[in-house]
Amino acid sequence: MNLTAERLDRIAPSQTIAISAKARALKAAGKDIISLSAGEPDFDTPQNIKDAAIRAIQAGETRYTDVSGTKALREAAAAYFKREHGLDYKPEEIVVSTGGKQVIFNAMLATIDAGDEAIIPAPCWVSYPDIVSLAEGTPVIISAGQNQGFKITPEQLEAAITPKTKWFILNNPCNPTGAAYTEAELKGLAEVLLRHPDVWIFTDDIYEKLVYGDFKARTMVEVEPRLRDRTITMNGCSKAWAMTGWRIGFAGAPLALAKAMDKLQSQSTSNTSSVSQAAAVEALNGPQESVEEMRKVYEKRRDLVVGLLNKAPGIHCIVPDGAFYVFPSIHGCLGKTTASGKRIETDEDFVTALLEDEGVAAVHGSAFMFPGHFRISYATDDASLTEACTRIQRFCAGLA
């Protein structure tokens, strides 16, 4: 008899976490490693948010809360959706979970039956397909390359929908590419979804505060309110407020679905940390200057990294509109051999050799369902980014 369940065989450990762990191990062994693999801000959580958590501890707010979150946080999340996008969610339509990943997990497990399909544009975050698979669903991947700005078209979405389609999952802006859909592009997708009333929509907007230039982040229900009754609008505090370790994700959903997610969560983790919830209230309701300061720094880093990567032989990197990632093509490097004699046949070969030869940790594109590329997080300081890109240039120049 096998120890582990069959469902565990459907998934793999998170490759982004695995590469970060390998980089940490090499660094602990004395290697000179620059890790650009983790999707985590290098900024500290703003002081006003930390102060709110300290006040909550001192006030004894250290007990269980409602499974879906404190009333104060659900009200703050509802106010956030209204302020940012004009969306009207009642507090009882808000579910707070232990990070955005649990929101996705709850939604898929609460709704998918064996054989149901979930459409996922690729490149995509590594966890979407595996979460769908754990729920006994079938991930349906739609690919969109650099020539499309890493964004799918309405025609592609229409062609992917079948009678088995249960969900369309959209990450906007996107991890790993930083691609972001304009209002007009979202409307085009919405028109397709209106023709298919049995398809539910999950929008992961966790990077929406991190957009650059004149770009304005929109969300699906904002541009097409008729989709509200079958859409989950998800966000969280991890990225924009530099609160990854606090583990706060939240979503607005139709009441019946919010209750189903609450029911599932009640038998898994119950509520997320009460102290983290108090901090999240301050993040959403308090001063927002720190978010803008971080956003401006990320924008400068983006421009720095794109400029340096495009000087590396065999690499082509387009300029993303959001998040803190770039996703350059390495097609000009494939089929070559490194200066140390390693053959580069795949994107995984590329990032492995890059780590071993130059001490730069990145994530291969295949982890994001899109080979021939790699992901760099520019959520680190300018000096490290400059040195890492210089090493990448040297690595690529040494290929023959």
Side-chain angles (χ1 to χ4, degrees):
M1 181 181 294
N2 291 330
L3 171 63
T4 57
E6 181 273 333
R7 72 178 65 88
L8 204 61
D9 295 333
R10 303 181 202 136
I11 65 171
S14 169
Q15 295 187 61
T16 54
I17 293 174
I19 291 169
S20 296
K22 182 176 181 179
R24 283 193 296 270
L26 288 171
K27 193 169 187 177
K31 302 289 186 182
D32 178 17
I33 302 295
I34 302 174
S35 183
L36 306 180
S37 58
E40 181 169 36
D42 61 317
F43 296 103
D44 195 11
T45 301
Q47 189 62 46
N48 64 303
I49 298 172
K50 293 191 288 186
D51 290 342
I54 293 168
R55 289 195 300 271
I57 293 170
Q58 293 173 335
E61 296 177 26
T62 56
R63 300 181 179 275
Y64 294 133
T65 74
D66 289 344
V67 171
S68 287
T70 63
K71 185 173 185 289
L73 182 50
R74 285 182 281 126
E75 288 176 343
Y80 174 86
F81 284 133
K82 180 68 173 179
R83 182 172 67 247
E84 297 295 323
H85 299 294
L87 306 183
D88 288 309
Y89 286 111
K90 298 175 182 177
E92 56 267 31
E93 294 177 305
I94 301 292
V95 178
V96 178
S97 298
T98 307
K101 186 179 288 188
Q102 189 181 22
V103 176
I104 305 165
F105 190 88
N106 287 346
M108 298 300 112
L109 244 67
T111 60
I112 287 180
D113 288 316
D116 287 344
E117 295 175 349
I119 295 172
I120 305 169
C124 64
W125 183 44
V126 296
S127 292
Y128 296 136
D130 280 353
I131 290 173
V132 170
S133 295
L134 270 177
E136 299 188 356
T138 302
V140 175
I141 306 299
I142 308 177
S143 294
Q146 282 190 347
N147 61 322
Q148 296 177 209
F150 295 122
K151 294 180 281 188
I152 67 166
T153 65
E155 292 76 19
Q156 286 179 295
L157 177 58
E158 181 74 62
I161 294 174
T162 76
K164 295 182 178 180
T165 304
K166 187 69 169 280
W167 284 99
F168 171 54
I169 300 174
L170 184 67
N171 183 201
N172 182 44
C174 172
N175 173 8
T177 64
Y181 289 78
T182 65
E183 182 174 359
E185 289 166 338
L186 286 176
K187 284 183 176 179
L189 298 177
E191 289 173 3
V192 174
L193 295 165
L194 286 171
R195 295 196 290 272
H196 297 275
D198 293 330
V199 178
W200 285 71
I201 303 100
F202 190 106
T203 63
D204 179 349
D205 302 333
I206 203 160
Y207 293 97
E208 71 169 2
K209 303 295 285 184
L210 303 178
V211 292
Y212 311 116
D214 297 326
F215 194 90
K216 170 64 177 174
R218 305 290 185 185
T219 195
M220 187 67 78
V221 178
E222 179 183 13
V223 304
E224 184 43 82
R226 287 177 290 178
L227 294 174
R228 183 196 188 280
D229 290 342
R230 51 188 172 107
T231 299
I232 295 178
T233 305
M234 191 206 90
N235 216 299
C237 296
S238 296
K239 311 301 182 178
W241 290 274
M243 293 176 66
T244 50
W246 300 79
R247 309 307 300 136
I248 293 289
F250 57 86
L255 185 58
L257 184 49
K259 286 183 175 179
M261 294 163 67
D262 176 272
K263 180 180 180 181
L264 179 62
Q265 188 165 302
S266 74
Q267 294 292 4
S268 55
T269 59
S270 296
N271 63 277
T272 192
S273 161
S274 60
V275 176
S276 292
Q277 290 187 65
V281 171
E282 175 64 19
L284 296 177
N285 289 346
Q288 301 297 306
E289 288 82 2
S290 59
V291 176
E292 177 60 13
E293 290 170 4
M294 289 186 280
R295 189 201 66 79
K296 288 179 178 178
V297 172
Y298 287 134
E299 184 167 16
K300 291 179 180 178
R301 291 173 177 175
R302 176 201 64 171
D303 295 341
L304 170 68
V305 168
V306 170
L308 290 173
L309 287 176
N310 279 326
K311 294 179 181 179
I315 285 181
H316 178 239
C317 184
I318 64 174
V319 181
D321 285 317
F324 41 61
Y325 310 105
V326 291
F327 196 67
S329 164
I330 57 166
H331 284 96
C333 300
L334 299 178
K336 296 184 177 182
T337 302
T338 69
S340 61
K342 302 180 180 75
R343 183 75 173 170
I344 306 297
E345 298 290 354
T346 67
D347 50 15
E348 188 168 6
D349 292 339
F350 180 91
V351 298
T352 300
L354 180 64
L355 178 58
E356 293 173 350
D357 292 3
E358 291 287 353
V360 177
V363 187
H364 52 295
S366 297
F368 305 101
M369 309 299 290
F370 207 86
H373 297 69
F374 71 116
R375 188 193 78 173
I376 280 179
S377 167
Y378 51 84
T380 193
D381 63 275
D382 287 9
S384 296
L385 291 171
T386 300
E387 174 61 21
C389 289
T390 299
R391 295 183 189 185
I392 293 170
Q393 291 174 359
R394 184 169 62 216
F395 177 80
C396 292
L399 296 176

